[in-house]
């Protein structure tokens, strides 16, 4: 299949490689060059050209305005779409804006699935992403064979576009609060005089065990903050959570706290480091580094 794939970044590049290895042909447009290592793609001038050349377009872009620009403006994907084609947006963006864009595609007879992902760069490379989808069952079934090339846990969350984004926001709330909890625990234990590596080892055998403790706890101890998932992108996701919560009149007090700790890290120039670097905000408050 000829697949339009726009967004060949940290996540998108390995996802596109997996599609390519499954014998799909990749068509793209680039804001920058060259193509990422391992990607062989036909490069066209605009998102509209990509849409005209393909039956399916997949996007994975940083934020809501980026998706709106690529999909909805002059020369965008919508302009090049025809009835019967399929649009899959795998970005993590606002659910309200997603629903609005999906309506515009539906008016042209185009199926739309929002399919944000979780699992980070490692999950993208290993084709082991969790993918949360919103859209009609028919659109989901069309998208599923492609999603299965990129992920393992693929769920249709709701029958309308935007449901996947809502689920991803919930995911990011849980991840952020887990990072904050592990950070607090390791800073506390370390400042009390314990070896944080030994504390982590002990906790991994009990009810406090989690993927965050396993992966990000080790990052915190070893000071390996090269990004798997950039802190500024998690900031963006928590902004979406808090904006949506205001509309829904839902209190998210601990989400707001985690966001403020990420803001403190960003203020120190750490927005492009891994989101596990949230621990450094708590270390500064405690005047104590665990590593």
């Amino acid at each position: 299949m000829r697949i339009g794939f726009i967004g060949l970044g940290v996540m998108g590049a390995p996802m596109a490689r997996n599609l390519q290895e499954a014998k799909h042909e990749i068509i793209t447009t680039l804001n920058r060059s060259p193509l990422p290592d391992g990607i062989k793609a036909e490069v066209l001038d605009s998102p509209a050209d990509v849409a005209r050349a393909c039956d399916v377009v997949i996007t994975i872009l940083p934020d809501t305005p980026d998706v709106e620009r690529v999909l909805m403006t002059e020369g965008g994907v919508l302009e090049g779409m025809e009835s019967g084609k399929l649009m899959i947006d795998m970005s993590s963006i606002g659910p309200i804006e997603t629903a609005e864009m999906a309506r515009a595609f539906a008016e042209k007879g185009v199926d739309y699935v929002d399919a944000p992902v979780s699992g980070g760069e490692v999950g993208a490379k290993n084709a082991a992403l969790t993918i949360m989808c919103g859209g009609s069952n028919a659109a989901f079934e069309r998208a599923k064979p492609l999603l299965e090339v990129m992920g393992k846990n693929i769920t249709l969350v709701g029958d309308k576009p935007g449901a996947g984004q809502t689920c991803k926001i919930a995911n990011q709330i849980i991840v952020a609060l887990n990072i904050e909890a592990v950070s607090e625990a390791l800073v506390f234990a370390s400042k009390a005089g314990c070896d944080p590596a030994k504390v982590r080892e002990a906790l991994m055998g009990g009810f406090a065990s989690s993927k965050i403790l396993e992966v990000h706890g080790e990052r915190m101890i070893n000071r390996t903050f090269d990004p798997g998932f950039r802190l500024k992108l998690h900031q963006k996701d928590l902004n979406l959570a808090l904006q949506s919560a205001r509309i829904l009149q839902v209190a998210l007090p601990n989400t707001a706290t985690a966001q403020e700790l990420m803001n403190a890290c960003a203020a120190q120039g750490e927005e492009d480091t891994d989101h596990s670097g949230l621990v450094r905000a708590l270390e500064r408050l405690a005047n104590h580094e665990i590593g």
Side-chain angles (χ1 to χ4, degrees):
M1 183 179 292
R2 286 166 61 86
I3 299 172
F5 199 107
I6 301 174
L8 298 173
V10 171
M11 296 292 290
M15 293 161 68
R17 281 190 209 103
N18 289 330
L19 289 166
Q20 186 175 274
E21 289 172 7
K23 308 303 182 185
H24 297 292
E25 182 181 355
I26 302 300
I27 315 295
T28 192
T29 183
L30 294 175
N31 286 330
R32 60 182 185 275
S33 59
L35 287 166
D37 290 343
I39 300 290
K40 296 179 180 179
E42 181 181 352
V43 180
L44 301 181
D45 290 335
S46 72
D49 291 332
V50 172
R52 291 185 189 100
C54 303
D55 290 324
V56 180
V57 176
I58 298 173
T59 50
I60 180 162
L61 299 162
D63 205 348
T64 306
D66 302 300
V67 177
E68 290 176 327
R69 174 178 53 80
V70 168
L71 266 58
M72 307 303 292
T73 59
E74 183 178 352
V77 170
L78 180 63
E79 181 181 305
M81 280 293 201
E82 298 173 358
S83 179
K85 294 191 175 188
L86 173 63
M87 176 68 220
I88 306 172
D89 179 37
M90 304 187 77
S91 317
S92 295
I93 64 171
I96 293 171
E97 292 86 348
T98 292
E100 291 172 351
M101 287 186 283
R103 281 193 288 272
F105 278 80
E107 289 173 1
K108 294 191 74 170
V110 177
D111 282 336
Y112 193 108
V113 176
D114 66 307
V117 304
S118 179
E121 185 180 6
V122 172
K125 288 180 176 178
N126 295 331
L129 293 166
T130 290
I131 306 177
M132 300 151 266
C133 302
S136 70
N137 189 68
F140 174 71
E141 290 300 325
R142 289 183 67 191
K144 192 174 181 182
L146 297 176
L147 301 179
E148 287 174 337
V149 176
M150 297 178 280
K152 298 286 188 190
N153 180 23
I154 302 163
T155 306
L156 180 61
V157 177
D159 62 1
K160 294 180 180 178
Q165 300 298 347
T166 298
C167 185
K168 177 61 186 289
I169 288 172
N171 178 87
Q172 294 302 80
I173 291 170
I174 293 169
V175 171
L177 269 57
N178 270 276
I179 292 173
E180 199 275 339
V182 169
S183 299
E184 282 196 19
L186 293 181
V187 169
F188 165 77
S190 178
K191 191 157 189 181
C194 292
D195 180 347
K198 291 293 185 182
V199 170
R200 173 182 166 276
E201 181 182 341
L203 295 177
M204 283 298 299
F207 201 53
S209 178
S210 69
K211 196 70 174 177
I212 297 296
L213 180 62
E214 176 189 353
V215 176
H216 288 333
E218 185 175 41
R219 279 178 171 271
M220 294 170 192
I221 292 164
N222 294 337
R223 320 307 287 173
T224 51
F225 296 124
D226 292 340
F229 186 72
R230 295 180 191 276
L231 185 140
K232 67 182 179 184
L233 294 178
H234 210 148
Q235 271 188 296
K236 177 262 298 182
D237 291 339
L238 295 188
N239 276 335
L240 291 174
L242 294 170
Q243 289 165 7
S244 298
R246 281 192 289 272
I247 294 169
L248 295 170
Q249 296 185 320
V250 173
L252 300 178
N254 293 317
T255 302
T257 298
Q259 176 70 315
E260 289 299 335
L261 292 170
M262 289 188 181
N263 290 344
C265 290
Q268 296 295 320
E270 295 162 357
E271 64 270 20
D272 284 315
T273 62
D274 190 77
H275 57 166
S276 59
L278 177 150
V279 69
R280 292 191 285 202
L282 290 165
E283 289 173 334
R284 284 187 280 265
L285 289 171
N287 194 28
H288 177 82
E289 185 176 296
I290 66 175

